[in-house]
Amino acid sequence: MDNLTQEFLAESFEGLDRMDRCLTELEARPEDAELIGEIFRAVHSIKGATGFLGFTRLERLAHAGEHVIGALRSGRVRATPEVVSGLLGLMDGLRTAILLIEQTGREGGRAEDDDSGMIAMLAGLSGDGPVVEAATQGPGGGSQWNEVSEKTLRIDVEVLNRMMNLVGELVLTRNQMLRAQGDAEGLTELTLRLDGVTADLRQTVMEARMQPVTHLFGKFPRIVRDLALSCGKSVVLEVSGTETGLDKTLLEAIKDPLTHALRNAIDHGIETPEVRMAAGKPRQGMVRLAACHRSGSVVIELSDDGAGISLSRVRAKAIERELVSEAQAAAMSDWDALQMVFLPGFSTSDEVTHVSGRGVGMDVVKSNVERVGGTVEIESREGVGTVVRLRVPLTLAIVPALVVRSGGQCFCLPQSALVELVHVTWHEARLAVERIGEAELYRLRETLLPMVWLDRVLEFDSSEWMHLEHGFYVAVLEIEGRRFGLAVDELMSPEEIVVKALTCGLREVGLFSGATVLGNGGIAMILDVMSLANRAGVHPMLDKLRGQEMAVWAEELKPRFVVFEGKMHGAQAERVAMPIGSVERIEVLSLGAVEYAGGRPLLQYGGTLLPLEDSSGVLAEMVNGRAEAATEMTVLIFRRGTERVGLPVRRVLEVAGGELLPELADESGDSMAIVGERVAMVAGERLQGVA
Amino acid sequence: MRGDAGDAEVMLCSLSVGGQMYGIDTRKIREVLGIRVVQRIPLAPKYIAGAVSYRGEVLTTVSLRALLGLPAVVSETWVIVLDGDGKRQGNAEQFGLMVDAVGGVTMVSRDLLRENPPALSDAYRGLCCGAFRTREGLLVELDPEGLRPERLAERMPGGLKKRVVDRGLG
């Protein structure tokens, strides 16, 4: 297709979009001469170009339309709903014809390409011929998206000029840098300039890709009008924040999800006028579409004042579809219950209407938005309305990320998923991670987080000893309401990375969403947080069991013990366990701090005297120097009745779940337990019994 | 490729893997990158050496050694960038090929091409178009199409599902 035709197509589509907006407004303000003028210009420019390009069918159609609009302009014809419908029909006809040219390069002479009916109808409207009923067009007719305008982009000349200037400066700086080689002093300054110019250029190129959301929102008044008509509802659309800019690719990506949500709002949300009157609401339903920038992302909010989502129906439906059990549904919070509408195959609509409810539901909306790194939230109150909130990043190509290291290799974590970073030092490492069955959990303040070890997921040679020796970092990540901790070896630096698509062979690994070239020239893979969570088996529900509940659950599952080394038996130290619930603190203290009163060892601890329980003789062994060159001791502090007591131990081995074996209790009351697959004496009861 | 019946002579870029000489039609080669460190990718199939950055893109790089079932080497490796599929212009994907060393360009006559012998092992079948008998020895012509990562994914047993990391490569 030649350039001229392509330009014509892009311009025509834009003209039709403008006409679309104006026509729906015209219905509200039939006397507005400016609107009529705008519509006239759109049709006129199509007609003007068609003669030159030789598209006779389009010319005839545009001509007939021009005639009606001319009659409108001169005031001979009033913009009645029939006329507006007729003009909308004309617009659809023009769009269909132009789409055909886009696809085939020709106007086509098929039977369905015959416009005589349309032309006669338009002639009737302009008062020149008999009135013909407007051909009924499906609501989808006017909302076909076209391909040419998706590939081309109109850029403000100002932005382009700025870009050109910056490129010029970039070349200049490069030349200077080449000359300055060897002159180290000048180089620093030049490097700084290069940095500045590059940053500006990047910003400007990003701007050039930005489009105001009005390009997308502009199509919605027509959709709302057609939908409301076919559903027998009365709906006003209020649009705000149309000047908000968004990357073109992203704009395309949210088009379908947003349209779907809009259909939902009108079809399922807004009630019929009778129902609304009965509920004491205004007759006309209100749908609001608002866009704004918020902390580095674009938020698009679609709200309606309709019936809202009935939570009892959501619960009932989820049970019916066997998505949850009855008990689960009852225990679920309202928020959680509402989020079930995002589950695949979920629809609360009782009957399938022609507009929506064909099984393509909110899950598709969600997955489409997530594909471009966005999120979807839903809020609803029965009888009051529903809000659907889409949050998308400003741009796709460049994302802020954190570079982390695992198994000697660098990986990028998108900052958008990052909640918090925690350093686990080597002496915390042993106690930081708790196990419940197969699952590993990290206790972060009041919450237990499912843990994922990056090196294990990537099947590197496991280096658990290294984590215990050197400590590790936990990146707390959150995606789609799932929060989990990702353990990595090292944190590198935050970097603005340029996302490169993966080519065949690497895409299929599934764990990476892209790759990037780092500042040092090396390649780093970008981790896909979603599939990381999936592959590691992090379930959204696990996260919901916060703090207490989780801790209780953990306790019920298996009693947990602190295992430590007690008295020496020859070369081997005795394994002793104490239920974790009775241990208050574990302290490492200097041996020199031990004082004696009446032969009993004591410690000054936290302003009080702490008696040391040394019936096993560990302390005596260490003080008498039988343990080689010990200067420090580990003390478990526990409560005996109302008193606090310290228990010196050789060293703490682990914290693990275990099982008490009461049948093996000996005459002194000591019992045994299997902890971490090895037998250990349980110290707690005997010591507590001493009191 | 062999389909171009008009050319009596063909220019092959010679390369070696495991001591054997191979050749690739120079028209299929985008660029010889020289000695490059290939970033290995965890969980990628064994025949994928990793990724290299090339003109702002991150290219999947296939290890010819692994494809031929040879053990990985720790020494320096060369990377050649091969063109995408000529039939699907635009969306064809370039990819890298990791070899032991790259030699020079040799002109060979098509007449000297011998078809793949029937006894050729499975590892070689599909990768080679045939062999030329030259003065230096046998020069096996590689079929760039057969080396494409997407083709390998279809052909290799267990291909992408078997997530094997070859730690020695790269």
Side-chain angles (χ1 to χ4, degrees):
Chain A
M1 198 179 295
D2 59 291
N3 281 345
L4 207 61
T5 312
Q6 272 188 351
E7 222 166 88
F8 161 70
L9 290 179
E11 260 170 36
S12 301
F13 281 130
E14 268 176 39
L16 287 175
D17 288 347
R18 261 200 317 280
M19 183 174 168
D20 195 337
R21 277 198 294 279
C22 294
L23 275 173
T24 33
E25 273 180 57
L26 189 65
E27 219 164 26
R29 289 177 287 147
E31 305 297 332
D32 196 326
E34 221 171 280
L35 284 176
I36 299 172
E38 184 77 33
I39 297 165
F40 186 81
R41 273 193 296 281
V43 178
H44 185 76
S45 62
I46 290 176
K47 191 189 127 184
T50 49
F52 178 67
L53 292 166
F55 295 131
T56 49
R57 173 191 167 203
L58 209 51
E59 187 180 8
R60 273 201 300 277
L61 199 55
H63 179 76
E66 210 183 49
H67 212 69
V68 182
I69 305 164
L72 270 178
R73 275 227 291 194
S74 64
R76 262 194 307 126
V77 172
R78 271 185 46 88
T80 56
E82 293 79 56
V83 171
V84 173
S85 289
L87 287 175
L88 284 171
L90 162 74
M91 198 185 70
D92 292 341
L94 287 172
R95 203 185 285 273
T96 317
I98 294 171
L99 274 172
L100 191 67
I101 294 172
E102 185 185 0
Q103 281 152 11
T104 64
R106 283 191 305 276
E107 289 186 295
R110 300 168 303 175
E112 65 260 37
D113 298 335
D114 182 34
D115 305 312
S116 52
M118 173 85 68
I119 290 170
M121 181 268 289
L122 289 169
L125 287 178
S126 59
D128 297 347
V131 178
V132 180
E133 268 300 302
T136 42
Q137 281 264 352
S143 41
Q144 282 172 24
W145 315 97
N146 40 70
E147 272 178 27
V148 166
S149 70
E150 280 171 19
K151 278 186 198 148
T152 59
L153 189 63
R154 286 177 163 240
I155 300 174
D156 190 339
V157 179
E158 188 50 44
V159 175
L160 213 55
N161 286 345
R162 219 158 58 224
M163 224 146 51
M164 201 54 232
N165 284 343
L166 284 167
V167 170
E169 207 169 325
L170 201 64
V171 171
L172 220 70
T173 318
R174 184 205 58 189
N175 293 348
Q176 280 174 300
M177 281 191 89
L178 287 176
R179 234 179 304 137
Q181 271 176 356
D183 171 15
E185 253 174 75
L187 210 57
T188 323
E189 196 196 315
L190 281 172
T191 312
L192 282 176
R193 220 171 95 200
L194 189 66
D195 186 46
V197 175
T198 314
D200 283 354
L201 184 62
R202 201 202 68 196
Q203 183 64 36
T204 318
V205 171
M206 250 167 71
E207 255 173 61
R209 291 185 53 85
M210 293 288 201
Q211 272 196 323
V213 289
T214 176
H215 282 257
L216 177 59
F217 284 9
K219 318 207 172 194
F220 289 141
R222 171 76 189 281
I223 295 175
V224 170
R225 177 188 185 273
D226 288 346
L227 274 178
L229 270 181
S230 68
C231 299
K233 292 171 184 176
S234 176
V235 185
V236 229
L237 177 69
E238 203 185 83
V239 178
S240 63
T242 49
E243 70 292 338
T244 313
L246 187 58
D247 190 284
K248 186 171 168 69
T249 327
L250 288 162
L251 206 58
E252 298 296 335
I254 60 164
K255 188 174 66 189
D256 290 339
L258 201 56
T259 312
H260 189 89
L262 187 68
R263 281 163 192 265
N264 269 349
I266 295 166
D267 193 21
H268 303 310
I270 304 284
E271 314 91 327
T272 54
E274 300 76 53
V275 176
R276 289 184 67 88
M277 303 280 268
K281 288 185 183 180
R283 200 178 163 278
Q284 211 165 28
M286 169 73 92
V287 174
R288 278 195 191 85
L289 196 54
C292 66
H293 286 288
R294 207 173 290 162
S295 58
S297 46
V298 174
V299 178
I300 295 173
E301 207 172 79
L302 176 77
S303 50
D304 66 68
D305 67 346
I309 296 173
S310 157
L311 285 173
S312 55
R313 261 172 70 193
V314 169
R315 286 196 168 94
K317 204 78 178 179
I319 296 166
E320 184 195 314
R321 298 265 154 100
E322 294 179 352
L323 298 167
V324 289
S325 73
E326 231 163 286
Q328 277 176 310
M332 218 174 251
S333 73
D334 285 355
W335 167 265
D336 290 334
L338 189 57
Q339 304 313 308
M340 288 195 296
V341 301
F342 288 122
L343 293 174
F346 194 95
S347 170
T348 57
S349 172
D350 288 331
E351 73 263 49
V352 170
T353 67
H354 75 284
V355 180
S356 49
R358 283 179 183 149
V360 186
M362 292 302 284
D363 59 315
V364 180
V365 170
K366 196 179 171 78
S367 61
N368 279 350
V369 174
E370 273 166 3
R371 200 172 303 146
V372 294
T375 57
V376 185
E377 289 166 31
I378 188 163
E379 281 169 40
S380 186
R381 268 183 69 191
E382 199 170 354
V384 179
T386 306
V387 181
V388 176
R389 205 172 290 119
L390 274 65
R391 201 182 294 263
V392 286
L394 269 176
T395 175
L396 261 188
I398 300 164
V399 293
L402 178 76
V403 185
V404 299
R405 255 173 108 82
S406 203
Q409 223 172 311
C410 286
F411 297 93
C412 296
L413 279 172
Q415 291 273 13
S416 57
L418 198 62
V419 182
E420 192 173 342
L421 290 167
V422 188
H423 181 208
V424 180
T425 56
W426 64 270
H427 54 266
E428 293 167 337
R430 264 175 211 284
L431 296 171
V433 181
E434 303 184 25
R435 281 191 183 78
I436 300 177
E438 286 285 290
E440 283 179 293
L441 301 162
Y442 175 73
R443 188 182 289 276
L444 179 69
R445 294 184 290 277
E446 284 311 294
T447 317
L448 282 173
L449 287 177
M451 274 280 280
V452 178
W453 297 85
L454 186 55
D455 52 354
R456 276 188 230 164
V457 174
L458 297 175
E459 294 174 11
F460 287 143
D461 287 342
S462 195
S463 47
E464 201 161 353
W465 62 270
M466 216 184 89
H467 293 133
L468 294 180
E469 206 97 310
H470 300 287
F472 53 92
Y473 291 85
V474 177
V476 181
L477 302 172
E478 182 168 285
I479 187 145
E480 216 187 272
R482 313 186 202 185
R483 204 177 258 230
F484 64 100
L486 179 74
V488 298
D489 297 353
E490 248 181 293
L491 301 181
M492 307 303 281
S493 55
E495 232 175 271
E496 295 226 303
I497 56 168
V498 180
V499 180
K500 302 285 176 200
L502 293 177
T503 48
C504 185
L506 303 181
R507 268 193 301 260
E508 290 76 2
V509 174
L511 209 56
F512 310 116
S513 58
T516 193
V517 180
L518 293 177
N520 62 12
I523 292 173
M525 304 303 278
I526 303 164
L527 290 166
D528 182 4
V529 179
M530 192 63 187
S531 42
L532 207 57
N534 285 339
R535 192 165 290 192
V538 178
H539 301 295
M541 292 308 290
L542 204 57
D543 178 55
K544 301 289 183 216
L545 301 165
R546 300 216 175 224
Q548 291 296 308
E549 280 171 76
M550 193 72 152
V552 168
W553 182 41
E555 295 295 335
E556 277 173 4
L557 221 65
K558 241 182 188 183
R560 299 176 61 73
F561 299 91
V562 179
V563 184
F564 52 89
E565 281 184 0
K567 208 161 47 180
M568 296 294 284
H569 288 289
Q572 212 183 353
E574 187 182 32
R575 261 169 76 89
V576 190
M578 185 179 262
I580 198 164
S582 44
V583 179
E584 263 187 16
R585 280 187 79 88
I586 301 172
E587 292 278 355
V588 178
L589 299 163
S590 159
L591 262 182
V594 180
E595 295 171 57
Y596 292 87
R600 289 183 59 188
L602 289 170
L603 264 181
Q604 288 199 28
Y605 179 76
T608 57
L609 278 178
L610 181 77
L612 293 179
E613 169 60 54
D614 195 31
S615 56
S616 60
V618 171
L619 180 62
E621 260 176 28
M622 280 196 281
V623 173
N624 297 338
R626 277 192 48 199
E628 55 286 344
T631 54
E632 284 184 337
M633 60 174 177
T634 308
V635 180
L636 302 187
I637 295 161
F638 64 100
R639 231 168 232 292
R640 184 160 65 191
T642 54
E643 189 193 21
R644 264 195 181 154
V645 181
L647 176 72
V649 300
R650 302 190 71 81
R651 64 193 177 105
V652 173
L653 294 169
E654 61 178 336
V655 174
E659 241 172 293
L660 268 175
L661 304 168
E663 66 275 16
L664 288 179
D666 64 15
E667 61 279 2
S668 68
D670 281 351
S671 56
M672 307 287 283
I674 300 275
V675 183
E677 291 166 5
R678 284 179 62 190
V679 175
M681 295 287 293
V682 179
E685 287 173 37
R686 181 188 53 189
L687 292 170
Q688 277 153 23
V690 170
Chain B
M1 293 223 5
R2 286 187 298 154
D4 307 350
D7 306 320
E9 288 213 308
V10 63
M11 272 207 278
L12 293 185
C13 172
S14 71
L15 52 99
S16 73
V17 169
Q20 170 66 50
M21 291 286 282
Y22 297 88
I24 294 183
D25 192 333
T26 48
R27 287 171 299 181
K28 292 286 174 183
I29 295 177
R30 165 64 44 115
E31 194 173 333
V32 176
L33 291 185
I35 294 165
R36 274 291 192 98
V37 176
V38 178
Q39 172 71 54
R40 70 190 166 82
I41 307 296
L43 308 183
K46 197 175 175 130
Y47 56 84
I48 286 177
V52 289
S53 77
Y54 173 67
R55 303 224 172 134
E57 298 297 325
V58 173
L59 295 190
T60 307
T61 303
V62 171
S63 162
L64 190 53
R65 246 177 189 279
L67 278 179
L68 299 174
L70 298 170
V73 285
V74 207
S75 60
E76 288 166 336
T77 51
W78 287 60
V79 176
I80 303 173
V81 179
L82 295 175
D83 253 332
D85 189 343
K87 277 163 264 167
R88 293 183 302 133
Q89 297 165 348
N91 54 8
E93 284 183 355
Q94 298 170 347
F95 65 101
L97 181 69
M98 191 176 89
V99 298
D100 289 359
V102 174
V105 173
T106 344
M107 291 287 273
V108 283
S109 169
R110 277 271 166 233
D111 303 338
L112 297 173
L113 183 71
R114 299 283 171 268
E115 292 286 329
N116 285 337
L120 200 68
S121 79
D122 280 348
Y124 287 78
R125 192 176 300 282
L127 302 180
C128 315
C129 321
F132 293 95
R133 200 170 291 283
T134 65
R135 252 171 295 164
E136 291 81 29
L138 208 60
L139 181 69
V140 180
E141 188 183 353
L142 293 172
D143 176 8
E145 288 309 303
L147 295 168
R148 304 183 64 74
E150 52 263 50
R151 288 280 295 276
L152 294 173
E154 293 161 14
R155 236 158 42 87
M156 299 302 275
L160 291 161
K161 275 169 230 138
K162 219 167 93 195
R163 305 191 315 261
V164 187
V165 190
D166 196 313
R167 319 195 95 247
L169 293 177

